[in-house]
Amino acid sequence: MKNFMSLRILDLFGGVINRVGADYKMVRRIMQVKLTLDRRRVPTLFNDSNKKDKDQDKNYFFWSMLFYMFIGSVVLVPIVVLGENYMFQMSLIFGVLMFMIMTLLISDFSSVLLDLRDKNILGTKPVSSKTINVAKILHILIYMMLLTFSLCGTALIAALFRHGFVFFIVFLVSIIFADLLIVVLTALFYLLILRVFDGEKLKDIITYVQIVLSIGITVGYQFVGRLFNFSDLQFTYESKFWHLFIIPSWYGSTFDMILNNHYTSYNITSAILAFGVPIIAICIYIKLIPVFERNLQKLNQHGERKKKSRNFAEAVSVLFSINRYERTYFKFAYNMFKTERDFKLKVYPSLGIALVFPYIMLFNILQGQGFGSLSNSKMYLWLYMSALIIPNIVMMSKHSSQWKGSWIYRMVPYDSKEFIIKGTLKAALARLVVPIYIINAGVFIGLFGVSIIPDIVVIFISLLAFTVICFIGLDKGLPFSENFEVVKETEGLKFLGLIIVLGVFAFLHYIFLTFKLGIYLYLVLLLIFNFLIWKIGIRLGSKKVL
């Protein structure tokens, strides 16, 4: 097997890993196998090309790194190079960075952190649970570091030329400690949940906790900007005790202390927290690894499912589907969305973001204007942000941990792809999108008044059409027919394109609001468009499904 660069770097810390009670040689061997397997996971986008060149060592993770590098260059580099207000610039950069990394960790790596396969396979061998867990955490850390440096790489280079070598070193070390803090605190948080709950309830609680975490990260990130006052075209800062609870400010204060020689008690405390808390968290986690592994077994416990959920899916299917074949696939997909743990781990965290994002955008604009300005405004159009989760849901609906069971589609005695796709998309809307939209719509009606009800209906009809557009725009496949391990890393740019499409819906909505009865005309046009795209768009799209 290949001697990866990450493993050669890890060799420098072999003694430390042995000292914490793990067998470094075994950790290295486990990680080498994991990294080799990772490189052999080929996204389906490249399936055809892979048959041609057979280049198994080609790392398709590279494409996702390029995407994050582009995002980092556009978002982080301008913040780094503009001015020398280190407290503001670096607090903002670490706010953005920690928000993105933690969101990625919860949505993409929670399933790895809570994976039981390592334990089931290696637990029968003379390998300690601490060694298995250390290998698991280091495996996640390698990918988190790669993603983080993809995001920050261009910002680091820009910082080196703009602010000098000392700034570069402080930035580099701070990034590493921030990553350690995120991964270990997340693991400790999961450990707390594992300790308190068990069985089926534990699996549900983990899902809800992820949603709450996503909301907490999204809302907490907004507090970073509130730390500063903007006046005379400058951001000013006055330290307060409660700012110590805003983690990105720890790193901003560290830069202010080291580079501006501001050795205040607040800055010193922040610097100690920035580098001390990750180290303490790692020590606590290492101590609790056996407890973590022991409690992880609770995820293998299976409780009895309530029969009423199946009846509920049947009742909902009648509302969404007329065709009986389509209803069958609706009920199947609805129950898969409800019970598939890996799917929930990857998709449900984004539900929290979709729930709060319309309010964050709304309150950012309202800052300083007051709620009195709401009644005559068109700010309820931010409700379109509730649809941000749809591209991710449509993409992930192709994947399942039980993907080998997809042979069942081939056994159906009629041409059913169109029914399968329609039933699955409608189940995704019913199970994941509609509940969030109803909550957000209810709050917006409370804020803006009942006069926006026609707009609420128009936005909902737009989301229905947007769902089919996502299906047409993304790579196609039968529902639950692909392994989660081949989730495409290259669809980020398509996601950006789909977000622009969502913006076009909102723009057209705004245009039709500028003339009398325009909203009703737009509603009629949308209904016609929906009929056509659900009828013709899915039929044509389903023919491309292999």
Side-chain angles (χ1 to χ4, degrees), residues 231-480:
S231 59
D232 298 330
L233 298 177
Q234 282 192 333
F235 286 96
T236 57
Y237 176 73
E238 185 182 348
S239 62
K240 293 176 183 172
F241 173 75
W242 66 269
H243 292 175
L244 291 174
F245 294 100
I246 311 295
I247 295 176
S249 74
W250 297 352
Y251 297 96
S253 299
T254 303
F255 278 84
D256 189 43
M257 182 184 73
I258 295 174
L259 295 159
N260 291 332
N261 293 319
H262 289 165
Y263 288 92
T264 62
S265 57
Y266 177 82
N267 282 351
I268 293 171
T269 307
S270 294
I272 292 171
L273 290 171
F275 300 106
V277 170
I279 294 171
I280 294 170
I282 290 169
C283 293
I284 294 172
Y285 180 71
I286 290 170
K287 195 80 177 169
L288 295 175
I289 281 176
V291 182
F292 185 89
E293 288 296 321
R294 195 165 55 248
N295 284 284
L296 208 55
Q297 290 300 322
K298 291 180 179 176
L299 291 172
N300 269 340
Q301 298 172 6
H302 300 287
E304 194 175 334
R305 289 276 172 190
K306 296 175 183 176
K307 287 185 179 177
K308 69 176 183 181
S309 62
R310 200 185 312 165
N311 296 333
F312 182 73
E314 198 157 339
V316 176
S317 70
V318 176
L319 290 176
F320 279 79
S321 302
I322 299 172
N323 185 288
R324 66 188 177 99
Y325 299 123
E326 192 180 303
R327 274 208 302 274
T328 302
Y329 292 113
F330 179 100
K331 286 182 282 186
F332 168 68
Y334 190 93
N335 286 317
M336 286 294 287
F337 291 139
K338 185 180 173 68
T339 56
E340 171 81 65
R341 186 159 66 91
D342 286 342
F343 178 85
K344 292 200 285 188
L345 285 173
K346 290 178 181 297
V347 173
Y348 276 37
S350 60
L351 300 183
I353 296 174
L355 188 65
V356 298
F357 231 87
Y359 307 106
I360 288 173
M361 303 305 295
L362 189 63
F363 290 126
N364 278 337
I365 293 172
L366 278 177
Q367 198 176 20
Q369 296 182 21
F371 283 90
S373 59
L374 281 180
S375 56
N376 297 321
S377 73
K378 304 287 186 295
M379 284 190 273
Y380 50 79
L381 294 179
W382 287 113
L383 202 51
Y384 277 97
M385 301 293 278
S386 301
L388 284 178
I389 52 170
I390 293 178
N392 189 37
I393 292 172
V394 173
M395 185 188 77
M396 296 305 297
S397 66
K398 298 193 293 289
H399 301 276
S400 169
S401 59
Q402 307 297 324
W403 60 278
K404 289 181 180 175
S406 59
W407 59 267
I408 195 73
Y409 295 129
R410 317 285 178 196
M411 305 303 292
V412 179
Y414 51 85
D415 186 12
S416 59
K417 283 181 186 170
E418 189 178 339
F419 298 135
I420 296 171
I421 302 297
K422 269 188 184 177
T424 304
L425 291 180
K426 287 180 180 179
L429 284 166
R431 173 73 191 166
L432 304 169
V433 179
V434 172
I436 288 178
Y437 186 74
I438 288 174
I439 294 170
N440 284 342
V443 175
F444 269 61
I445 289 172
L447 289 171
F448 291 90
V450 293
S451 61
I452 69 164
I453 288 178
D455 298 276
I456 297 290
V457 175
V458 163
I459 294 171
F460 180 71
I461 302 296
S462 302
L463 301 197
L464 298 181
F466 181 63
T467 305
V468 181
I469 291 173
C470 290
F471 164 71
I472 295 170
L474 294 169
D475 293 315
K476 296 165 190 63
L478 285 169
F480 317 112

